[in-house]
Amino acid sequence: MIISWNWLKDYADLSMSVDELTERLTLTGLNLEGVEEVGGDTAIDLEVTSNRPDCLGHIGVAREVAVLWDGELKIPGTKSQAKGAKVESLTSVTVECPELCSRYTARVIRGVKIGPSPDWLADRLRTVGIAVINNVVDISNYVMLECGQPLHAFDFAKLAGQKILVRQAKAGEKFVAINHQTYELNADTCVIADAEKAVALGGVMGGATSEVSDSTTDLLIEAADFSQLSVRNTARRLNLHSPSSYRFERGVDPEGIDWASRRCCDLILELAGGELAEGVIDVGAKAPQREQVKLRFDQLERILGIRIPDERVRQILTALGNEETHVCDHCVKVVPPSWRADLTREIDLVEEVARIHGYEEIPEDTGVKMVASTRSREDVVLDQVRDAMVALGFDEAMTISAVESGWIEVFQPWTTASPLATSTPVLRGADCLRQTLLPSLLAARRVNETLSNGVIELFEIAEVYLPQPSELPDQRRMLGLSSGGSFLELKGVIETLLDTIAPGSQLEAKPYESALFVAGRGAELILGVKKLGYLGEVSQQACDQFELRSASTAAEIDLSMLIDAAVQVRRAVDLSPFPPVGRDLNIVVDEQVPWSDVEKIVLSGCGELLESLAFQEEFRSKEKLGPGKKSLLFSIQLRSAQGTLTNEQADAIREKLVAEVAKQLGGQLRA
């Protein structure tokens, strides 16, 4: 925001130097970007943060100056005398999309004379970098830079039907902006239309068909409040940014809309003549009721470390425009002004008092009482997951949440719904919010391969976005893995992670088919009875799509399941002083029987005596086993806490397992 020194003098006493002013403003949140002499004026460029749109006008900055130097804020009054016909007899306003335009006001001035602006007005606009056009256009810009409320002046005679319709654009509708460029609109765009066509983009820019020219005699003055999101989306989509869109994106003062309209009409009548129609057309919601905020005096000392007198606190808050509704010996309650939408919490008022009182008043060695916040269960578990993955030899990756639409189709394990799409791609082609982390990790793997990194073991912890009908998306935090190891090796990594985070939990792998995985080499992971995630060896088709040079394996885990299953308090268990007994089993089963079914029987049959179960290998041979058969070789290790197990006891358990496999799965011990 560029401020004119001479202009600022109209609203506040500037008895200080430019250096003193800019230094103090910087200390209170309006950082200095630069100072430049322009003609006989000084242009001061201030950085205005997005939460302070009230300072996007000279009056807002003057208010800060008046508070800091205990001076008077001088706001121009409005004195327009309406002499013409009632405005309702001349025009009408209809708002069809109140969600995009919450309020629209219109005034009509007839009989104006378009000409050059007086030197004082033109000089001020040039100082702040605004082009001088003519008296009417310059006045609308002047008022915007004065109070921060954008306005627009239409040539009333060029409005078909002399009416205003605020509506959504028709898909594919063409619009010629005031810069004489043609834009194609989509159905989400808010347009200001007459009886025939769009004549302005709401909150962004006016149209060429209704712009004020030398032949203009009648005006319709617009002052409105447009949806911040709508303005931002339109400006970004069309790459059409303006001082108006910049202010609407950050929010305007809802109670300052009518003042800005009256102020604009005053200046037009003064500098361009004409006759103001009686009344105003004001359509839409009035300013919402502002909620009061409570500030406890003792919180200032607790947070800032210094004691500020109660009277000084009240004086600061009142000077900033807050309306005091209650005061007692321990607190004050205020209703923030309409131009300060950012004041909603007690800590906001603490910050206001601190910056006006002066941060330099707080000694460097002031003690501030602090208590470490309690880490949530999620925070603790996520740190444990990261530590475990790094210990397992993985590096953490970070990728963006937007991906190409083609990546969505590769793998949709959590939903089959169409992805949420952004109106403007984050990167080239990346316009969809991802539903899984795996395509992003495979792309990261490709980058590492092009850099000739020998070992590429990656993990990422991030959210995916699963659409829900008529609701916000289901945002789930996932753990994605990409490894150069085999299916069994990555499965072992996941099992180790589970043993670290949730010891004692049982992981089951069920067959799962997907185009991302090699046929027969994909699995759905089950923890207890709930779906934990997916694991599989990446198919050649997927490798070609992501331009991978070598084979890889990928997995994705729903971290909410892991967080729920996490064991945070560990208990020591006595080790058995007795030796273990091991047995190898080679079971022949039908081809379609998965290892997980055999594993369940072993876990159930051995009970507490099972110390470990290790899968060894899978073997197929038509000659030795017969068609449609395979053998599963695995080892069990048994140990009792009560005494030494005998060979007979171990053999009995083995025979029991073989009998159960035969009964449930039709398997038999390989000869």
Side-chain angles (χ1 to χ4, degrees):
M1 174 66 187
I2 300 177
I3 299 297
S4 159
W5 176 267
N6 292 340
W7 193 350
L8 196 61
K9 288 180 180 178
D10 287 356
Y11 317 110
D13 177 29
L14 301 184
S15 57
M16 73 296 294
S17 66
V18 172
D19 288 342
E20 184 182 357
L21 173 71
T22 55
E23 180 180 1
R24 190 69 189 276
L25 289 177
T26 296
L27 289 173
T28 56
L30 296 176
N31 294 332
L32 177 65
E33 293 289 322
V35 176
E36 181 182 358
E37 295 299 322
V38 180
D41 200 354
T42 302
I44 304 170
D45 190 0
L46 300 175
E47 178 192 5
V48 179
T49 53
S50 59
N51 68 316
R52 292 299 307 275
D54 58 300
C55 289
L56 292 175
H58 281 71
I59 289 177
V61 177
R63 184 180 290 110
E64 293 286 298
V65 174
V67 174
L68 291 170
W69 274 272
D70 294 325
E72 178 187 359
L73 176 65
K74 294 169 282 187
I75 298 179
T78 56
K79 54 184 184 299
S80 301
Q81 295 296 319
K83 299 179 181 178
K86 291 184 178 296
V87 68
E88 292 86 353
S89 68
L90 302 175
T91 188
S92 65
V93 174
T94 303
V95 178
E96 292 185 349
C97 50
E99 70 281 3
L100 302 182
C101 176
S102 59
R103 188 179 177 194
Y104 192 99
T105 70
R107 284 182 163 89
V108 174
I109 303 177
R110 295 187 292 179
V112 301
K113 182 175 178 57
I114 304 300
S117 296
D119 291 342
W120 65 267
L121 191 153
D123 290 343
R124 289 182 176 185
L125 291 180
R126 291 191 185 101
T127 297
V128 298
I130 300 296
V132 175
I133 309 298
N134 58 52
N135 50 4
V136 169
V137 174
D138 294 345
I139 287 169
S140 66
N141 287 330
Y142 181 89
V143 175
M144 176 185 69
L145 295 169
E146 181 178 50
C147 66
Q149 170 66 48
L151 302 118
H152 187 68
F154 294 97
D155 186 327
F156 190 51
K158 296 177 182 177
L159 295 177
Q162 276 68 58
K163 62 188 294 185
I164 289 291
L165 174 62
V166 185
R167 60 171 172 82
Q168 290 181 284
K170 302 167 185 175
E173 183 175 0
K174 297 293 194 298
F175 171 76
V176 181
I178 209 166
N179 61 4
H180 299 282
Q181 299 292 318
T182 301
Y183 299 91
E184 183 174 324
L185 311 180
N186 66 16
D188 295 329
T189 305
C190 177
V191 299
I192 314 302
D194 58 17
E196 298 175 354
K197 61 191 175 301
V199 294
L201 296 178
V204 179
M205 188 170 287
T209 60
S210 61
E211 67 178 317
V212 174
S213 64
D214 292 343
S215 61
T216 298
T217 58
D218 299 338
L219 303 170
L220 185 144
I221 306 301
E222 167 196 284
D225 189 3
F226 297 100
S227 162
Q228 295 171 245
L229 183 60
S230 171
V231 173
R232 174 178 170 81
N233 287 342
T234 299
R236 290 193 65 186
R237 184 186 308 117
L238 302 178
N239 193 24
L240 189 61
H241 302 276
S242 66
S244 293
S245 68
Y246 187 84
R247 286 161 174 78
F248 278 122
E249 286 179 28
R250 287 153 180 78
V252 297
D253 177 6
E255 295 184 8
I257 294 173
D258 188 61
W259 183 92
S261 176
R262 288 184 282 116
R263 172 68 168 160
C264 182
C265 291
D266 280 356
L267 291 175
I268 290 175
L269 294 175
E270 178 184 340
L271 302 179
E275 184 178 74
L276 175 64
E278 183 180 342
V280 58
I281 297 180
D282 191 342
V283 178
K286 301 299 181 183
Q289 183 176 359
R290 290 169 279 132
E291 299 293 331
Q292 70 177 9
V293 183
K294 176 180 177 180
L295 172 60
R296 294 164 290 174
F297 296 126
D298 60 359
Q299 292 300 297
L300 288 162
E301 185 173 5
R302 185 186 73 81
I303 295 170
L304 303 178
I306 60 172
R307 173 71 181 173
I308 301 176
D310 297 353
E311 286 302 318
R312 172 63 173 156
V313 173
R314 295 173 59 196
Q315 183 267 327
I316 290 173
L317 293 178
T318 303
L320 287 169
N322 295 280
E323 179 185 344
E324 191 175 283
T325 59
H326 167 83
V327 65
C328 60
D329 58 351
H330 72 277
C331 77
V332 60
K333 295 179 182 178
V334 298
V335 175
S338 59
W339 58 84
R340 291 299 303 274
D342 58 317
L343 302 183
T344 59
R345 305 167 300 166
E346 182 178 46
I347 194 63
D348 298 327
L349 299 184
V350 171
E351 181 183 5
E352 291 298 291
V353 172
R355 70 182 188 86
I356 300 301
H357 184 69
Y359 292 118
E360 69 277 7
E361 298 295 329
I362 304 175
E364 293 181 2
D365 58 351
T366 295
V368 178
K369 297 178 181 178
M370 292 186 181
V371 178
S373 60
T374 302
R375 301 176 69 210
S376 68
R377 179 186 182 91
E378 181 178 356
D379 291 335
V380 172
V381 174
L382 290 181
D383 278 352
Q384 291 175 343
V385 171
R386 286 188 172 92
D387 290 344
M389 294 310 303
V390 171
L392 287 163
F394 282 70
D395 294 308
E396 184 168 9
M398 292 186 181
T399 60
I400 64 171
S401 298
V403 298
E404 303 171 16
S405 58
W407 289 11
I408 298 290
E409 300 166 0
V410 171
F411 189 53
Q412 286 186 290
W414 308 102
T415 179
T416 56
S418 298
L420 298 171
T422 60
S423 57
T424 304
V426 178
L427 294 174
R428 180 179 297 177
D431 59 353
C432 296
L433 293 182
R434 61 185 173 189
Q435 299 176 345
T436 171
L437 305 182
L438 296 192
S440 300
L441 280 176
L442 294 180
R445 184 174 197 84
R446 176 188 62 213
V447 172
N448 279 271
E449 285 185 345
T450 60
L451 296 174
S452 299
N453 290 331
V455 178
I456 308 173
E457 303 292 304
L458 302 176
F459 78 94
E460 180 174 16
I461 296 174
E463 291 185 342
V464 299
Y465 304 86
L466 310 179
Q468 299 185 108
S470 304
E471 294 184 28
L472 291 173
D474 177 11
Q475 294 183 222
R476 296 190 198 175
R477 195 180 298 273
M478 299 288 181
L479 169 65
L481 304 174
S482 175
S483 172
S486 67
F487 177 95
L488 292 178
E489 287 172 327
L490 190 55
K491 182 171 181 284
V493 167
I494 296 172
E495 289 172 339
T496 303
L497 176 64
L498 282 174
D499 286 342
T500 303
I501 306 299
S505 58
Q506 296 297 326
L507 178 69
E508 179 184 353
K510 293 184 176 180
Y512 176 77
E513 296 298 326
S514 167
L516 182 68
F517 299 143
V518 175
R521 304 298 290 173
E524 179 183 16
L525 304 178
I526 306 297
L527 185 64
V529 295
K530 295 182 179 180
K531 180 167 62 178
L532 176 66
Y534 297 89
L535 162 68
E537 293 181 358
V538 179
S539 67
Q540 187 59 51
Q541 176 184 344
C543 286
D544 293 342
Q545 180 173 352
F546 289 93
E547 301 176 10
L548 298 179
R549 300 173 183 172
S550 57
S552 67
T553 308
E556 186 166 64
I557 289 174
D558 184 345
L559 282 174
S560 64
M561 294 287 299
L562 200 55
I563 292 169
D564 290 342
V567 178
Q568 293 186 288
V569 179
R570 307 297 172 88
R571 289 182 171 83
V573 177
D574 290 336
L575 296 177
S576 172
F578 304 103
V581 178
R583 290 292 184 270
D584 293 332
L585 289 89
N586 199 348
I587 303 292
V588 178
V589 293
D590 292 337
E591 180 64 45
Q592 67 270 21
V593 175
W595 159 250
S596 58
D597 287 353
V598 177
E599 184 181 33
K600 284 182 182 178
I601 293 174
V602 174
L603 294 174
S604 174
C606 294
E608 294 182 354
L609 295 179
L610 182 65
E611 185 173 73
S612 67
L613 167 63
F615 177 84
Q616 301 292 344
E617 68 176 12
E618 195 173 60
F619 177 76
R620 294 173 176 83
S621 173
K622 290 183 179 180
E623 293 76 16
K624 296 181 179 181
L625 302 179
K629 298 290 184 177
K630 65 180 178 182
S631 68
L632 302 175
L633 175 63
F634 59 93
S635 303
I636 59 173
Q637 184 163 289
L638 308 172
R639 190 194 301 260
S640 171
Q642 309 302 322
T644 301
L645 290 175
T646 64
N647 286 330
E648 289 77 12
Q649 290 174 312
D651 289 341
I653 292 174
R654 185 185 65 176
E655 295 305 322
K656 176 183 176 183
L657 296 179
V658 172
E660 283 299 315
V661 168
K663 178 181 177 182
Q664 298 184 32
L665 305 177
Q668 61 182 3
L669 194 63
R670 183 179 175 185

